[in-house]
Amino acid sequence: MEDLFRAYAPYLYLHPDEDYLPSSVDWFFNNGALLYKKGEESTPVRIEPGGANLPKGGDPAGLYWLNLPADKGGRDKVSHGDLASAEAYVHFKPGVENGMFTDIQVNSCQFIVDVWMFYPFNGHATAKIGFIKRVSLGRVGEHVSDWEHVTLRVRNGDGVLDKVYFSQHSGGKWVDASLLQFVNGNRFAWYSSRNGHAGNNEPGLHLQGPGNGFGIRNDWAWSNKVVDTGARFVVVASEGEAEAVAEPPWLSYESKWGPTKEYDTTAEVRRVRKFLLGKLKKLLDKLVKVIDEVYGTDGPTGPKVKNNWSGNEA
C-alpha cells in the first residue's frame, strides 16, 4: 500500500504569496500549542509529544479546544507554520463502491488513499468586488488550525489511479485522473489556495459567492513552496485488508483544534464597507451570508471526526 501511494503521491504547491504554511503536528505541539478546558481558561496546558495528554472520545459539550501559544512571539511563529517539518498523514481504507476501489486519504494540521495536511493557521479572506480585484476582509476567515486533504481513488483490479477528490473549505470536488496535472511520472500537482488552503487540480482563480464577477477569492498558483508528499508522509491509519498501524494519540482527539470564531463577521466587513462606493457596498453586503457558510463559526475538527474519514466523499 505504501508503494502504491508513492507511485501517485502528489506534490503540494503553496501559493507564492502564502504566509500560513503547513507544518507537522508534532512541530505544532513542540512549539507551544496549548490545550484549553472550559472553566479553566486561565490555566491552559502544554501538549505532550504526539498528543499523549489530549482527551479522548467525544466532546459534545465543547469542553476542550487547542490554541496557539499565549505569548505574541510564539503565536506569530507558530501561526506561520514550518514548511521544513510538514508531512502528509495517510489513511488507507477500503473502496466504498462495490469494493472496486481503494481510497487513500492524504491529510495536509487531511488515498481511498486519504492524504491529510495540517496548517497551524488559516489566514484572512480576500474578495473581488466589481472592478476592485482584491479587497482584504479584515480577520474574516481566520482560525487556528486547518486540516485539508485529497483522496486518491485507485482501481483494485489494475492499480490505476481513477480520480482524485480535492477538499475545498466545507466541500470539495472529484476530478478525473485525465484532468490532473502530472509533474513527475504518475505523480500530480495538488494546489493550495492562498491563506485558505482549499485544494485544486490546476492554478487559477475561483470566486465563491453570488457570482457576476464578485465573491471570495480562491487563488491557486505554482511556486517553489512545495511539499513532496511521497518523500514526507506518515501512515496514521489503515482499514480493511491493509496492515494495521499504530495510530498516533492525536488522531483520537475529537475536540476542537481551534477556538470558536474570535471575531464578528459583520463588524469586520463593516470596517471594509466604509471605504467603498454605494453600489460596491451592496455587493459586499451580499457576501456576508456566504462568508460563514464557507468558513464556519466553530473551531475546526481533526481528520477522524470528518464524515469522509469512514464514509464516501460528498
Side-chain angles (χ1 to χ4, degrees), residues 281-300:
K281 291 180 190 289
K282 294 180 180 179
L283 292 178
L284 182 60
D285 291 341
K286 292 182 179 180
L287 279 181
V288 174
K289 293 182 179 180
V290 176
I291 287 169
D292 285 338
E293 290 176 3
V294 171
Y295 294 105
T297 59
D298 210 350

Side-chain angles (χ1 to χ4, degrees), residues 217-231:
R217 294 184 65 103
N218 288 274
D219 289 279
W220 294 286
W222 182 92
S223 80
N224 58 7
K225 297 177 182 177
V226 59
V227 178
D228 178 353
T229 65

Side-chain angles (χ1 to χ4, degrees), residues 138-164:
R139 298 179 64 194
V140 167
E142 290 186 353
H143 58 80
V144 175
S145 297
D146 187 24
W147 282 99
E148 299 291 347
H149 78 281
V150 293
T151 295
L152 284 67
R153 175 155 289 176
V154 180
R155 296 203 303 249
N156 284 338
D158 53 16
V160 171
L161 180 65
D162 184 72
K163 60 182 67 174
V164 174

Side-chain angles (χ1 to χ4, degrees):
M1 295 294 285
E2 290 186 19
D3 289 342
L4 182 65
F5 173 63
R6 288 189 183 94
Y8 296 119
Y11 290 93
L12 175 67
Y13 289 101
L14 288 306
H15 192 278
D17 298 322
E18 179 62 70
D19 289 324
Y20 303 103
L21 302 170
S23 77
S24 70
V25 171
D26 281 341
W27 183 90
F28 179 61
F29 294 163
N30 294 339
N31 283 274
L34 297 170
L35 171 66
Y36 283 78
K37 183 178 181 181
K38 191 174 183 179
E40 301 176 12
E41 289 87 350
S42 62
T43 56
V45 299
R46 288 285 297 264
I47 302 170
E48 296 176 3
N53 63 328
L54 293 175
K56 305 297 188 294
D59 183 17
L63 296 178
Y64 297 95
W65 65 93
L66 306 187
N67 210 338
L68 301 172
D71 64 290
K72 185 179 185 304
R75 289 181 67 88
D76 288 345
K77 173 185 176 181
V78 175
S79 66
H80 290 287
D82 180 64
L83 194 61
S85 73
E87 56 191 9
Y89 300 106
V90 178
H91 171 214
F92 296 109
K93 65 180 183 179
V96 292
E97 294 184 3
N98 302 318
M100 294 175 61
F101 300 93
T102 293
D103 282 1
I104 308 171
Q105 289 180 337
V106 184
N107 296 285
S108 148
C109 118
Q110 211 193 244
F111 287 64
I112 300 168
V113 185
D114 290 334
V115 185
W116 296 86
M117 293 296 297
F118 174 72
Y119 300 79
F121 196 77
N122 192 91
H124 68 273
T126 58
K128 182 179 183 297
I129 304 176
F131 60 85
I132 303 178
K133 293 183 178 181
R134 185 180 299 276
V135 177
S136 173
L137 296 180
R139 298 179 64 194
V140 167
E142 290 186 353
H143 58 80
V144 175
S145 297
D146 187 24
W147 282 99
E148 299 291 347
H149 78 281
V150 293
T151 295
L152 284 67
R153 175 155 289 176
V154 180
R155 296 203 303 249
N156 284 338
D158 53 16
V160 171
L161 180 65
D162 184 72
K163 60 182 67 174
V164 174
Y165 181 87
F166 294 85
S167 66
Q168 298 178 337
H169 304 303
S170 57
K173 66 175 185 178
W174 281 105
V175 175
D176 190 84
S178 64
L179 300 177
L180 300 174
Q181 290 188 0
F182 290 97
V183 179
N184 182 8
N186 291 322
R187 301 180 60 191
F188 63 92
W190 170 14
Y191 293 95
S192 175
S193 67
R194 182 183 179 186
N195 288 355
H197 310 138
N200 203 32
N201 59 306
E202 59 186 356
L205 168 65
H206 173 69
L207 298 177
Q208 286 181 279
N212 297 320
F214 73 99
I216 298 171
R217 294 184 65 103
N218 288 274
D219 289 279
W220 294 286
W222 182 92
S223 80
N224 58 7
K225 297 177 182 177
V226 59
V227 178
D228 178 353
T229 65
R232 295 154 61 180
F233 73 93
V234 179
V235 180
V236 295
S238 63
E239 302 168 28
E241 296 180 0
E243 181 180 354
V245 300
E247 298 183 1
W250 58 259
L251 190 61
S252 296
Y253 171 70
E254 298 184 8
S255 301
K256 304 298 182 182
W257 281 73
T260 299
K261 189 178 69 172
E262 297 179 305
Y263 59 85
D264 183 336
T265 297
T266 303
E268 292 295 319
V269 171
R270 190 179 298 123
R271 294 188 183 96
V272 178
R273 192 177 187 276
K274 65 184 179 182
F275 296 106
L276 300 176
L277 300 175
K279 184 177 180 180
L280 297 182
K281 291 180 190 289
K282 294 180 180 179
L283 292 178
L284 182 60
D285 291 341
K286 292 182 179 180
L287 279 181
V288 174
K289 293 182 179 180
V290 176
I291 287 169
D292 285 338
E293 290 176 3
V294 171
Y295 294 105
T297 59
D298 210 350
T301 55
K304 211 169 186 178
V305 182
K306 311 293 187 187
N307 292 332
N308 53 25
W309 178 263
S310 57
N312 197 3
E313 305 287 359

